């Protein structure tokens, strides 16, 4: 199943969904203002889904000002609260998965001890959140081994990994193909976009220098694997859709 991130205006989203049958990855429940009036936000988004003509939904969790690696107890508490609110929205709207950022920033955190600390957070959160699949996404992460370490330590059936191929290409010192090769068995969600390795441009596949054909070949279709096209311009969404169609038909 392919989704598109709800980064485009509603009318563009509606047109693409109706032409392709793609689902939506909503960012609405990553925004604190929407979480502050959760019931209203859920109803608003339920009506949007009806107008778009799709029930296929994933959510992108909160990531601004919250962090599952937080050492400050108050920040950690806020993170648990915001993540729970997003999770409740996912249950109410019938979402299949929720994407959460890993929170790793190599300029802030040491590698040593990071995985253990993050594992403690997710182990606590997942005790009471077992219905929906949670996928942990790389952003500024430099080393895929840390994500794999967290995955193996948490060891829950509804806890998997999300590989953002664009982030791995521009933020990591390790090649994106290395990321893909080693994490593919544990990745059930993929964020798809391109860049030239210098910044997180979120352009369409083929517009940067990410080796997208080789990457997607290492991430074949499986029963549980899904993809989200994560671009901010309509033309880039269509570029990804066309490249992915070529890949699927090859």
């Amino acid at each position: 199943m392919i989704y598109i991130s709800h980064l485009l205006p509603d009318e563009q989203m509606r047109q693409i969904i109706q032409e392709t049958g793609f689902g939506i990855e909503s960012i609405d429940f990553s925004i604190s203002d929407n979480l502050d009036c959760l019931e209203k936000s859920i109803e608003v988004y339920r009506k949007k889904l009806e107008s778009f003509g799709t029930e296929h939904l994933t959510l992108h969790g909160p990531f601004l000002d919250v962090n599952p690696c937080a050492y400050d107890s108050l920040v950690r508490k806020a993170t648990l609260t915001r993540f729970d609110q997003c999770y409740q929205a996912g249950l109410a709207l019938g979402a299949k998965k929720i994407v959460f950022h890993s929170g790793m920033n190599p300029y802030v955190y040491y590698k040593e001890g990071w995985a253990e600390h993050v594992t403690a957070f997710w182990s606590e959160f997942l005790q009471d959140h077992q219905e929906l699949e949670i996928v942990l996404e790389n952003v500024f992460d430099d080393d895929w081994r840390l994500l794999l370490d967290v995955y193996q330590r948490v060891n829950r059936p509804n806890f998997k990994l999300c590989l953002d191929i664009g982030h791995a290409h521009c933020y990591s010192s390790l090649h994106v193909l290395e990321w893909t090769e080693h994490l593919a068995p544990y990745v059930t969600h993929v964020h798809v976009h391109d860049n030239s390795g210098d910044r997180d441009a979120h352009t369409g596949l083929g517009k940067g220098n990410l080796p997208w054909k080789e990457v997607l070949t290492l991430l074949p279709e499986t029963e549980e694997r899904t993809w989200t096209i994560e671009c901010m311009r309509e033309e880039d969404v269509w570029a990804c859709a066309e490249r992915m169609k070529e890949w699927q038909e090859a």
Side-chain angles (χ1 to χ4, degrees):
M1 182 69 196
I2 298 175
Y3 300 82
I4 52 175
S5 182
H6 199 166
L7 298 170
L8 303 178
D10 287 355
E11 190 53 45
Q12 292 180 7
M13 293 287 295
R14 183 179 295 107
Q15 179 182 354
I16 294 172
I17 289 167
Q18 291 177 354
E19 290 189 30
T20 63
F22 291 166
I24 298 174
E25 183 170 308
S26 173
I27 64 168
D28 278 38
F29 300 95
S30 69
I31 301 169
S32 61
D33 287 351
N34 291 336
L35 298 176
D36 285 340
C37 50
L38 187 59
E39 291 186 9
K40 179 180 178 181
S41 297
I42 290 171
E43 288 308 309
V44 167
Y45 210 81
R46 181 176 284 117
K47 291 178 181 178
K48 283 190 178 185
L49 289 173
E50 292 174 357
S51 72
F52 292 160
T54 184
E55 296 179 350
H56 300 294
L57 177 69
T58 63
L59 299 186
H60 196 300
F63 58 92
L64 294 175
D65 305 321
V66 293
N67 194 335
C69 189
Y71 283 85
D72 187 304
S73 62
L74 295 181
V75 177
R76 190 176 188 277
K77 182 178 180 180
T79 303
L80 286 166
T81 298
R82 290 309 197 189
F83 282 16
D84 175 68
Q85 290 174 318
C86 179
Y87 192 92
Q88 299 310 317
L91 288 175
L93 293 169
K96 300 302 182 185
K97 303 180 182 183
I98 304 180
V99 181
F100 290 104
H101 287 180
S102 73
M104 178 52 169
N105 185 333
Y107 295 102
V108 176
Y109 298 108
Y110 293 109
K111 289 184 177 181
E112 293 75 18
W114 181 84
E116 293 92 328
H117 195 66
V118 174
T119 296
F121 175 92
W122 284 113
S123 295
E124 178 181 346
F125 185 83
L126 290 169
Q127 286 180 2
D128 300 318
H129 300 82
Q130 301 179 29
E131 296 92 339
L132 302 182
E133 183 175 325
I134 302 297
V135 290
L136 198 63
E137 175 193 357
N138 61 299
V139 184
F140 302 119
D141 308 63
D142 183 63
D143 192 339
W144 57 268
R145 296 175 186 86
L146 293 179
L147 277 183
L148 181 57
D149 194 5
V150 174
Y151 167 81
Q152 292 174 331
R153 287 172 181 271
V154 172
N155 192 29
R156 294 289 187 100
N158 66 322
F159 185 79
K160 306 291 183 178
L161 297 180
C162 167
L163 177 58
D164 188 301
I165 62 176
H167 291 165
H169 184 52
C170 71
Y171 288 130
S172 176
S173 61
L174 304 177
H175 200 282
V176 62
L177 287 175
E178 180 179 337
W179 277 78
T180 310
E181 180 179 2
H182 288 283
L183 294 185
Y186 320 104
V187 168
T188 60
H189 196 61
V190 184
H191 277 174
V192 178
H193 52 100
D194 204 345
N195 62 68
S196 296
D198 56 342
R199 65 186 182 91
D200 189 20
H202 284 262
T203 55
L205 291 179
K207 295 189 176 183
N209 56 20
L210 191 154
W212 63 270
K213 291 182 181 179
E214 293 88 342
V215 166
L216 292 181
T217 297
L218 292 169
L219 295 166
E221 186 172 357
T222 67
E223 184 176 346
E224 59 180 357
R225 183 172 292 140
T226 51
W227 299 263
T228 290
I229 297 172
E230 197 175 47
C231 298
M232 292 172 280
R233 297 191 303 173
E234 183 179 8
E235 64 186 73
D236 289 319
V237 171
W238 281 116
C240 287
E242 291 169 4
R243 299 295 181 274
M244 294 184 73
K245 183 179 180 181
E246 294 172 8
W247 161 66
Q248 289 177 324
E249 294 177 349

